[in-house]
Amino acid sequence: GAVVSQHPSRVICKSGTSVKIECRSLDFQATTMFWYRQFPKQSLMLMATSNEGSKATYEQGVEKDKFLINHASLTLSTLTVTSAHPEDSSFYICSARLTSRQGGSGAWTGELFFGEGSRLTVL
Amino acid sequence: DAKTTQPNSMESNEEEPVHLPCNHSTISGTDYIHWYRQLPSQGPEYVIHGLTSNVNNRMASLAIAEDRKSSTLILHRATLRDAAVYYCILRDVRGGSNYKLTFGKGTLLTVNP
C-alpha cells in the first residue's frame, strides 16, 4: 500500500505558540489530503480538505485562521495550529487520496491512506 | 450525509470468525460503503469497500444486504492484531469528486486469546 508520513509524531508546546505538522505522501502524489482531529476516546472529526495549489475547504465550525493549511506540492500538506491553547491538545491525523504513483497507473482504488498521527500537547 | 449505526463494542475469540454489523437504512444509490479500522494511537487503516455486490480481499469480506440497508464486515479468523475500532462509513460519490470520509463512533472489537 501507499505510505503517508506525519511529522512530528509528538509535540509539546507552550500556550500561545504556533505548531506546524507535516503530512507527506512518500511514494505517490496526492492532489487531495484531509486533516482530522481526534480527542481521547472519541471518533475522528474532519477539519478540512486540502487541495494542492488552492485554498483548503474547512468544515463547519473549524476556524480557518487558527488552523492554517498549506498544500504547496503534490506530496506535502501542512497544518499550522496558530496561537495554540490547551484545548487544542489533540491527536491530529492526515489522510491522502492517491492521484498518481511512480511506475503505476495511479487509478484510484477507492481508499484513503492515513498518516500515523501527530499528538499535540499544549501546556 | 447518510448515517450508519454500529454496536459500540464486540468481543471475539482468537482464530474464530467475527461478523461486525452496520446499519445504514437511509443509504442512497450513490453511497459507497467503506470500512476502516484504527488501532490504538495510530491512524485509520483501509479495510474494504463496496457498492452493491459482496467484496473479498486479503483482509476481510464485505457482505451487503440486498436492499443495501445494512452490511457486515467479516473477519474470517480473528487474531490479536485485529483488536481495533472498526468504522463503517458511507461515501456519496455524486458529483464525482467527493472523496472525504466522515467517521462515526465505530465498534471497538476486543479479541480474546
mmCIF file of all heavy atoms in Angstrom, chain A residues 34 36 38 43-44 46 59 91 93 97 108-112 114-116 119, chain B residues 34 36 38 41-46 49 87 91 99-105:
data_model
loop_
_atom_site.group_PDB
_atom_site.id
_atom_site.type_symbol
_atom_site.label_atom_id
_atom_site.label_comp_id
_atom_site.label_asym_id
_atom_site.label_seq_id
_atom_site.Cartn_x
_atom_site.Cartn_y
_atom_site.Cartn_z
ATOM 1 N N PHE A 34 -6.619 15.264 3.579
ATOM 2 C CA PHE A 34 -7.619 15.628 4.578
ATOM 3 C C PHE A 34 -6.955 15.705 5.950
ATOM 4 O O PHE A 34 -6.051 14.931 6.246
ATOM 5 C CB PHE A 34 -8.742 14.588 4.621
ATOM 6 C CG PHE A 34 -9.439 14.396 3.308
ATOM 7 C CD1 PHE A 34 -9.017 13.427 2.424
ATOM 8 C CD2 PHE A 34 -10.512 15.204 2.958
ATOM 9 C CE1 PHE A 34 -9.645 13.248 1.200
ATOM 10 C CE2 PHE A 34 -11.149 15.031 1.732
ATOM 11 C CZ PHE A 34 -10.712 14.056 0.861
ATOM 12 N N TYR A 36 -7.773 15.581 10.074
ATOM 13 C CA TYR A 36 -8.727 15.199 11.102
ATOM 14 C C TYR A 36 -8.149 15.534 12.479
ATOM 15 O O TYR A 36 -6.933 15.630 12.663
ATOM 16 C CB TYR A 36 -8.999 13.689 11.062
ATOM 17 C CG TYR A 36 -9.738 13.202 9.847
ATOM 18 C CD1 TYR A 36 -9.065 12.923 8.654
ATOM 19 C CD2 TYR A 36 -11.108 12.983 9.879
ATOM 20 C CE1 TYR A 36 -9.738 12.459 7.537
ATOM 21 C CE2 TYR A 36 -11.800 12.505 8.768
ATOM 22 C CZ TYR A 36 -11.108 12.244 7.605
ATOM 23 O OH TYR A 36 -11.783 11.772 6.504
ATOM 24 N N GLN A 38 -8.720 14.204 16.619
ATOM 25 C CA GLN A 38 -9.348 13.165 17.435
ATOM 26 C C GLN A 38 -9.020 13.397 18.894
ATOM 27 O O GLN A 38 -7.843 13.385 19.284
ATOM 28 C CB GLN A 38 -8.869 11.777 17.000
ATOM 29 C CG GLN A 38 -9.576 10.626 17.699
ATOM 30 C CD GLN A 38 -9.159 9.277 17.147
ATOM 31 O OE1 GLN A 38 -8.014 9.087 16.741
ATOM 32 N NE2 GLN A 38 -10.095 8.323 17.121
ATOM 33 N N SER A 43 -14.271 9.762 18.201
ATOM 34 C CA SER A 43 -14.003 9.429 16.811
ATOM 35 C C SER A 43 -13.221 10.552 16.133
ATOM 36 O O SER A 43 -12.985 11.606 16.720
ATOM 37 C CB SER A 43 -15.323 9.201 16.075
ATOM 38 O OG SER A 43 -15.084 8.748 14.769
ATOM 39 N N LEU A 44 -12.832 10.309 14.910
ATOM 40 C CA LEU A 44 -12.126 11.335 14.141
ATOM 41 C C LEU A 44 -13.123 12.385 13.661
ATOM 42 O O LEU A 44 -14.216 12.059 13.206
ATOM 43 C CB LEU A 44 -11.455 10.730 12.905
ATOM 44 C CG LEU A 44 -10.213 9.884 13.107
ATOM 45 C CD1 LEU A 44 -10.557 8.488 13.580
ATOM 46 C CD2 LEU A 44 -9.413 9.821 11.803
ATOM 47 N N LEU A 46 -13.456 15.426 10.944
ATOM 48 C CA LEU A 46 -12.849 16.043 9.776
ATOM 49 C C LEU A 46 -12.758 17.555 9.984
ATOM 50 O O LEU A 46 -13.750 18.202 10.305
ATOM 51 C CB LEU A 46 -13.671 15.736 8.527
ATOM 52 C CG LEU A 46 -13.162 16.327 7.220
ATOM 53 C CD1 LEU A 46 -11.800 15.744 6.848
ATOM 54 C CD2 LEU A 46 -14.164 16.088 6.094
ATOM 55 N N GLU A 59 -14.373 22.490 7.302
ATOM 56 C CA GLU A 59 -15.683 22.034 7.768
ATOM 57 C C GLU A 59 -16.293 23.097 8.678
ATOM 58 O O GLU A 59 -15.601 23.954 9.243
ATOM 59 C CB GLU A 59 -15.541 20.715 8.520
ATOM 60 C CG GLU A 59 -15.061 19.571 7.634
ATOM 61 C CD GLU A 59 -16.021 19.244 6.511
ATOM 62 O OE1 GLU A 59 -17.220 18.976 6.798
ATOM 63 O OE2 GLU A 59 -15.584 19.237 5.336
ATOM 64 N N PHE A 91 -5.056 14.665 18.964
ATOM 65 C CA PHE A 91 -4.352 13.795 18.023
ATOM 66 C C PHE A 91 -4.774 14.253 16.631
ATOM 67 O O PHE A 91 -5.959 14.213 16.299
ATOM 68 C CB PHE A 91 -4.785 12.343 18.294
ATOM 69 C CG PHE A 91 -3.956 11.281 17.636
ATOM 70 C CD1 PHE A 91 -2.573 11.311 17.697
ATOM 71 C CD2 PHE A 91 -4.555 10.219 16.981
ATOM 72 C CE1 PHE A 91 -1.802 10.317 17.104
ATOM 73 C CE2 PHE A 91 -3.799 9.222 16.392
ATOM 74 C CZ PHE A 91 -2.428 9.265 16.447
ATOM 75 N N ILE A 93 -4.572 13.876 12.579
ATOM 76 C CA ILE A 93 -4.315 12.819 11.606
ATOM 77 C C ILE A 93 -4.603 13.342 10.204
ATOM 78 O O ILE A 93 -5.616 14.014 9.984
ATOM 79 C CB ILE A 93 -5.224 11.598 11.867
ATOM 80 C CG1 ILE A 93 -5.112 11.137 13.328
ATOM 81 C CG2 ILE A 93 -4.883 10.445 10.925
ATOM 82 C CD1 ILE A 93 -6.179 10.137 13.729
ATOM 83 N N ARG A 97 -5.476 11.036 -0.783
ATOM 84 C CA ARG A 97 -6.038 10.255 -1.881
ATOM 85 C C ARG A 97 -4.973 10.098 -2.943
ATOM 86 O O ARG A 97 -4.413 11.078 -3.417
ATOM 87 C CB ARG A 97 -7.255 10.957 -2.474
ATOM 88 C CG ARG A 97 -7.911 10.196 -3.618
ATOM 89 C CD ARG A 97 -9.077 10.961 -4.200
ATOM 90 N NE ARG A 97 -8.642 11.995 -5.119
ATOM 91 C CZ ARG A 97 -8.457 11.821 -6.425
ATOM 92 N NH1 ARG A 97 -8.638 10.633 -6.959
ATOM 93 N NH2 ARG A 97 -8.086 12.834 -7.178
ATOM 94 N N TRP A 108 -7.421 5.493 -8.933
ATOM 95 C CA TRP A 108 -7.824 5.478 -7.527
ATOM 96 C C TRP A 108 -8.568 4.201 -7.210
ATOM 97 O O TRP A 108 -9.493 3.813 -7.902
ATOM 98 C CB TRP A 108 -8.700 6.691 -7.227
ATOM 99 C CG TRP A 108 -8.894 6.867 -5.755
ATOM 100 C CD1 TRP A 108 -7.919 6.790 -4.811
ATOM 101 C CD2 TRP A 108 -10.106 7.134 -5.074
ATOM 102 N NE1 TRP A 108 -8.461 7.004 -3.568
ATOM 103 C CE2 TRP A 108 -9.790 7.220 -3.692
ATOM 104 C CE3 TRP A 108 -11.419 7.312 -5.473
ATOM 105 C CZ2 TRP A 108 -10.749 7.475 -2.722
ATOM 106 C CZ3 TRP A 108 -12.372 7.571 -4.502
ATOM 107 C CH2 TRP A 108 -12.040 7.642 -3.138
ATOM 108 N N THR A 109 -8.141 3.555 -6.135
ATOM 109 C CA THR A 109 -8.726 2.279 -5.754
ATOM 110 C C THR A 109 -9.902 2.456 -4.798
ATOM 111 O O THR A 109 -10.518 1.491 -4.400
ATOM 112 C CB THR A 109 -7.671 1.401 -5.072
ATOM 113 O OG1 THR A 109 -7.153 2.124 -3.940
ATOM 114 C CG2 THR A 109 -6.536 1.084 -6.028
ATOM 115 N N GLY A 110 -10.173 3.674 -4.413
ATOM 116 C CA GLY A 110 -11.289 3.917 -3.506
ATOM 117 C C GLY A 110 -10.881 4.062 -2.056
ATOM 118 O O GLY A 110 -11.722 4.296 -1.199
ATOM 119 N N GLU A 111 -9.596 3.911 -1.753
ATOM 120 C CA GLU A 111 -9.199 4.010 -0.354
ATOM 121 C C GLU A 111 -8.403 5.280 -0.117
ATOM 122 O O GLU A 111 -7.759 5.815 -1.018
ATOM 123 C CB GLU A 111 -8.352 2.802 0.049
ATOM 124 C CG GLU A 111 -7.037 2.665 -0.691
ATOM 125 C CD GLU A 111 -6.305 1.395 -0.311
ATOM 126 O OE1 GLU A 111 -5.788 1.337 0.820
ATOM 127 O OE2 GLU A 111 -6.244 0.477 -1.147
ATOM 128 N N LEU A 112 -8.484 5.763 1.102
ATOM 129 C CA LEU A 112 -7.651 6.864 1.554
ATOM 130 C C LEU A 112 -6.544 6.285 2.426
ATOM 131 O O LEU A 112 -6.768 5.324 3.164
ATOM 132 C CB LEU A 112 -8.470 7.874 2.353
ATOM 133 C CG LEU A 112 -9.526 8.665 1.598
ATOM 134 C CD1 LEU A 112 -10.213 9.653 2.531
ATOM 135 C CD2 LEU A 112 -8.933 9.393 0.397
ATOM 136 N N PHE A 114 -3.883 6.904 5.451
ATOM 137 C CA PHE A 114 -3.768 7.749 6.627
ATOM 138 C C PHE A 114 -2.350 7.760 7.171
ATOM 139 O O PHE A 114 -1.625 6.755 7.105
ATOM 140 C CB PHE A 114 -4.716 7.262 7.730
ATOM 141 C CG PHE A 114 -6.150 7.609 7.473
ATOM 142 C CD1 PHE A 114 -6.908 6.861 6.592
ATOM 143 C CD2 PHE A 114 -6.741 8.689 8.104
ATOM 144 C CE1 PHE A 114 -8.237 7.182 6.341
ATOM 145 C CE2 PHE A 114 -8.073 9.016 7.870
ATOM 146 C CZ PHE A 114 -8.816 8.256 6.988
ATOM 147 N N GLY A 115 -1.979 8.915 7.724
ATOM 148 C CA GLY A 115 -0.728 9.003 8.430
ATOM 149 C C GLY A 115 -0.856 8.377 9.811
ATOM 150 O O GLY A 115 -1.948 7.994 10.236
ATOM 151 N N GLU A 116 0.286 8.337 10.506
ATOM 152 C CA GLU A 116 0.291 7.699 11.823
ATOM 153 C C GLU A 116 -0.188 8.616 12.928
ATOM 154 O O GLU A 116 -0.326 8.207 14.077
ATOM 155 C CB GLU A 116 1.693 7.149 12.142
ATOM 156 C CG GLU A 116 2.786 8.211 12.178
ATOM 157 C CD GLU A 116 3.446 8.465 10.837
ATOM 158 O OE1 GLU A 116 2.754 8.979 9.910
ATOM 159 O OE2 GLU A 116 4.643 8.173 10.704
ATOM 160 N N ARG A 119 0.518 13.781 17.879
ATOM 161 C CA ARG A 119 -0.121 14.117 19.161
ATOM 162 C C ARG A 119 0.415 15.454 19.652
ATOM 163 O O ARG A 119 1.611 15.586 19.910
ATOM 164 C CB ARG A 119 0.148 13.036 20.206
ATOM 165 C CG ARG A 119 -0.688 13.228 21.464
ATOM 166 C CD ARG A 119 -0.713 11.992 22.347
ATOM 167 N NE ARG A 119 -1.249 10.823 21.675
ATOM 168 C CZ ARG A 119 -2.535 10.606 21.471
ATOM 169 N NH1 ARG A 119 -3.435 11.490 21.876
ATOM 170 N NH2 ARG A 119 -2.945 9.505 20.863
ATOM 171 N N HIS B 34 -17.783 2.002 3.053
ATOM 172 C CA HIS B 34 -16.364 1.838 3.342
ATOM 173 C C HIS B 34 -16.182 1.336 4.764
ATOM 174 O O HIS B 34 -16.904 1.754 5.673
ATOM 175 C CB HIS B 34 -15.630 3.185 3.219
ATOM 176 C CG HIS B 34 -15.465 3.672 1.825
ATOM 177 N ND1 HIS B 34 -14.252 3.657 1.161
ATOM 178 C CD2 HIS B 34 -16.357 4.188 0.951
ATOM 179 C CE1 HIS B 34 -14.409 4.148 -0.044
ATOM 180 N NE2 HIS B 34 -15.680 4.485 -0.201
ATOM 181 N N TYR B 36 -13.058 1.068 7.654
ATOM 182 C CA TYR B 36 -11.696 1.354 8.099
ATOM 183 C C TYR B 36 -11.567 0.854 9.528
ATOM 184 O O TYR B 36 -12.558 0.685 10.227
ATOM 185 C CB TYR B 36 -11.403 2.859 8.056
ATOM 186 C CG TYR B 36 -11.113 3.388 6.677
ATOM 187 C CD1 TYR B 36 -12.144 3.592 5.760
ATOM 188 C CD2 TYR B 36 -9.806 3.671 6.281
ATOM 189 C CE1 TYR B 36 -11.870 4.065 4.477
ATOM 190 C CE2 TYR B 36 -9.529 4.140 5.010
ATOM 191 C CZ TYR B 36 -10.563 4.331 4.118
ATOM 192 O OH TYR B 36 -10.291 4.788 2.851
ATOM 193 N N GLN B 38 -9.017 1.327 13.204
ATOM 194 C CA GLN B 38 -7.993 2.130 13.855
ATOM 195 C C GLN B 38 -7.467 1.395 15.076
ATOM 196 O O GLN B 38 -8.215 1.139 16.023
ATOM 197 C CB GLN B 38 -8.561 3.498 14.252
ATOM 198 C CG GLN B 38 -7.514 4.428 14.836
ATOM 199 C CD GLN B 38 -8.073 5.779 15.216
ATOM 200 O OE1 GLN B 38 -9.273 5.934 15.481
ATOM 201 N NE2 GLN B 38 -7.219 6.790 15.247
ATOM 202 N N SER B 41 -3.718 4.551 19.136
ATOM 203 C CA SER B 41 -2.674 5.559 18.880
ATOM 204 C C SER B 41 -2.112 5.505 17.463
ATOM 205 O O SER B 41 -0.948 5.851 17.239
ATOM 206 C CB SER B 41 -1.532 5.404 19.894
ATOM 207 O OG SER B 41 -2.003 5.622 21.195
ATOM 208 N N GLN B 42 -2.910 5.062 16.523
ATOM 209 C CA GLN B 42 -2.493 5.050 15.132
ATOM 210 C C GLN B 42 -3.565 5.690 14.261
ATOM 211 O O GLN B 42 -4.700 5.875 14.689
ATOM 212 C CB GLN B 42 -2.253 3.615 14.651
ATOM 213 C CG GLN B 42 -1.086 2.916 15.327
ATOM 214 C CD GLN B 42 -0.805 1.566 14.698
ATOM 215 O OE1 GLN B 42 -1.061 1.348 13.516
ATOM 216 N NE2 GLN B 42 -0.263 0.656 15.478
ATOM 217 N N GLY B 43 -3.184 6.020 13.028
ATOM 218 C CA GLY B 43 -4.172 6.498 12.086
ATOM 219 C C GLY B 43 -4.991 5.330 11.558
ATOM 220 O O GLY B 43 -4.580 4.179 11.644
ATOM 221 N N PRO B 44 -6.186 5.612 11.027
ATOM 222 C CA PRO B 44 -7.022 4.535 10.486
ATOM 223 C C PRO B 44 -6.360 3.829 9.316
ATOM 224 O O PRO B 44 -5.487 4.371 8.641
ATOM 225 C CB PRO B 44 -8.286 5.277 10.038
ATOM 226 C CG PRO B 44 -8.323 6.509 10.872
ATOM 227 C CD PRO B 44 -6.881 6.893 11.033
ATOM 228 N N GLU B 45 -6.839 2.621 9.099
ATOM 229 C CA GLU B 45 -6.327 1.777 8.022
ATOM 230 C C GLU B 45 -7.507 1.289 7.196
ATOM 231 O O GLU B 45 -8.522 0.842 7.750
ATOM 232 C CB GLU B 45 -5.582 0.594 8.645
ATOM 233 C CG GLU B 45 -5.119 -0.463 7.670
ATOM 234 C CD GLU B 45 -4.553 -1.680 8.376
ATOM 235 O OE1 GLU B 45 -5.000 -1.978 9.512
ATOM 236 O OE2 GLU B 45 -3.674 -2.333 7.797
ATOM 237 N N TYR B 46 -7.389 1.384 5.886
ATOM 238 C CA TYR B 46 -8.450 0.910 4.999
ATOM 239 C C TYR B 46 -8.617 -0.596 5.146
ATOM 240 O O TYR B 46 -7.645 -1.339 5.254
ATOM 241 C CB TYR B 46 -8.076 1.247 3.558
ATOM 242 C CG TYR B 46 -8.931 0.586 2.492
ATOM 243 C CD1 TYR B 46 -10.148 1.143 2.124
ATOM 244 C CD2 TYR B 46 -8.500 -0.571 1.853
ATOM 245 C CE1 TYR B 46 -10.924 0.552 1.136
ATOM 246 C CE2 TYR B 46 -9.261 -1.163 0.863
ATOM 247 C CZ TYR B 46 -10.481 -0.596 0.511
ATOM 248 O OH TYR B 46 -11.234 -1.188 -0.460
ATOM 249 N N HIS B 49 -14.170 -1.840 0.766
ATOM 250 C CA HIS B 49 -15.329 -1.032 0.436
ATOM 251 C C HIS B 49 -16.105 -1.691 -0.692
ATOM 252 O O HIS B 49 -15.559 -2.528 -1.436
ATOM 253 C CB HIS B 49 -14.947 0.411 0.076
ATOM 254 C CG HIS B 49 -14.387 0.575 -1.305
ATOM 255 N ND1 HIS B 49 -13.109 0.194 -1.659
ATOM 256 C CD2 HIS B 49 -14.939 1.119 -2.423
ATOM 257 C CE1 HIS B 49 -12.887 0.488 -2.921
ATOM 258 N NE2 HIS B 49 -13.982 1.055 -3.416
ATOM 259 N N TYR B 87 -14.723 1.172 11.766
ATOM 260 C CA TYR B 87 -15.649 2.215 11.330
ATOM 261 C C TYR B 87 -16.322 1.829 10.012
ATOM 262 O O TYR B 87 -15.641 1.466 9.047
ATOM 263 C CB TYR B 87 -14.914 3.536 11.123
ATOM 264 C CG TYR B 87 -14.282 4.127 12.350
ATOM 265 C CD1 TYR B 87 -12.926 3.949 12.623
ATOM 266 C CD2 TYR B 87 -15.044 4.879 13.258
ATOM 267 C CE1 TYR B 87 -12.342 4.500 13.742
ATOM 268 C CE2 TYR B 87 -14.458 5.442 14.380
ATOM 269 C CZ TYR B 87 -13.110 5.243 14.612
ATOM 270 O OH TYR B 87 -12.529 5.797 15.726
ATOM 271 N N ARG B 91 -19.890 6.887 1.752
ATOM 272 C CA ARG B 91 -19.302 7.972 0.968
ATOM 273 C C ARG B 91 -20.142 8.190 -0.287
ATOM 274 O O ARG B 91 -20.274 7.299 -1.116
ATOM 275 C CB ARG B 91 -17.862 7.664 0.579
ATOM 276 C CG ARG B 91 -17.158 8.802 -0.165
ATOM 277 C CD ARG B 91 -15.721 8.448 -0.480
ATOM 278 N NE ARG B 91 -15.632 7.346 -1.418
ATOM 279 C CZ ARG B 91 -15.632 7.487 -2.745
ATOM 280 N NH1 ARG B 91 -15.743 8.692 -3.280
ATOM 281 N NH2 ARG B 91 -15.527 6.438 -3.529
ATOM 282 N N TYR B 99 -14.332 12.801 -2.018
ATOM 283 C CA TYR B 99 -13.511 11.720 -1.508
ATOM 284 C C TYR B 99 -13.445 11.705 0.014
ATOM 285 O O TYR B 99 -12.841 10.824 0.592
ATOM 286 C CB TYR B 99 -12.082 11.848 -2.055
ATOM 287 C CG TYR B 99 -12.037 12.008 -3.556
ATOM 288 C CD1 TYR B 99 -11.659 13.212 -4.131
ATOM 289 C CD2 TYR B 99 -12.384 10.966 -4.392
ATOM 290 C CE1 TYR B 99 -11.616 13.369 -5.504
ATOM 291 C CE2 TYR B 99 -12.351 11.104 -5.768
ATOM 292 C CZ TYR B 99 -11.964 12.310 -6.318
ATOM 293 O OH TYR B 99 -11.931 12.456 -7.675
ATOM 294 N N LYS B 100 -14.051 12.682 0.663
ATOM 295 C CA LYS B 100 -13.872 12.771 2.106
ATOM 296 C C LYS B 100 -14.702 11.732 2.829
ATOM 297 O O LYS B 100 -15.746 11.291 2.348
ATOM 298 C CB LYS B 100 -14.206 14.167 2.612
ATOM 299 C CG LYS B 100 -15.672 14.572 2.510
ATOM 300 C CD LYS B 100 -15.845 15.994 3.034
ATOM 301 C CE LYS B 100 -17.301 16.414 3.012
ATOM 302 N NZ LYS B 100 -17.468 17.805 3.515
ATOM 303 N N LEU B 101 -14.213 11.338 3.987
ATOM 304 C CA LEU B 101 -14.871 10.342 4.824
ATOM 305 C C LEU B 101 -15.264 10.979 6.144
ATOM 306 O O LEU B 101 -14.456 11.654 6.779
ATOM 307 C CB LEU B 101 -13.929 9.166 5.089
ATOM 308 C CG LEU B 101 -13.444 8.371 3.876
ATOM 309 C CD1 LEU B 101 -12.443 7.317 4.307
ATOM 310 C CD2 LEU B 101 -14.623 7.737 3.155
ATOM 311 N N THR B 102 -16.506 10.759 6.545
ATOM 312 C CA THR B 102 -16.987 11.253 7.827
ATOM 313 C C THR B 102 -17.127 10.059 8.759
ATOM 314 O O THR B 102 -17.940 9.162 8.522
ATOM 315 C CB THR B 102 -18.331 11.971 7.659
ATOM 316 O OG1 THR B 102 -18.158 13.062 6.737
ATOM 317 C CG2 THR B 102 -18.811 12.520 8.990
ATOM 318 N N PHE B 103 -16.341 10.061 9.825
ATOM 319 C CA PHE B 103 -16.299 8.921 10.734
ATOM 320 C C PHE B 103 -17.386 9.022 11.801
ATOM 321 O O PHE B 103 -17.626 10.082 12.354
ATOM 322 C CB PHE B 103 -14.929 8.857 11.428
ATOM 323 C CG PHE B 103 -13.829 8.356 10.544
ATOM 324 C CD1 PHE B 103 -13.288 9.167 9.557
ATOM 325 C CD2 PHE B 103 -13.328 7.075 10.692
ATOM 326 C CE1 PHE B 103 -12.280 8.709 8.729
ATOM 327 C CE2 PHE B 103 -12.312 6.607 9.873
ATOM 328 C CZ PHE B 103 -11.788 7.418 8.891
ATOM 329 N N GLY B 104 -18.018 7.892 12.089
ATOM 330 C CA GLY B 104 -18.932 7.788 13.222
ATOM 331 C C GLY B 104 -18.173 7.260 14.419
ATOM 332 O O GLY B 104 -16.948 7.379 14.495
ATOM 333 N N LYS B 105 -18.901 6.650 15.353
ATOM 334 C CA LYS B 105 -18.273 6.189 16.595
ATOM 335 C C LYS B 105 -17.578 4.848 16.452
ATOM 336 O O LYS B 105 -16.660 4.534 17.200
ATOM 337 C CB LYS B 105 -19.323 6.115 17.695
ATOM 338 C CG LYS B 105 -19.896 7.475 18.064
ATOM 339 C CD LYS B 105 -20.898 7.385 19.194
ATOM 340 C CE LYS B 105 -21.425 8.772 19.540
ATOM 341 N NZ LYS B 105 -22.422 8.726 20.640
#
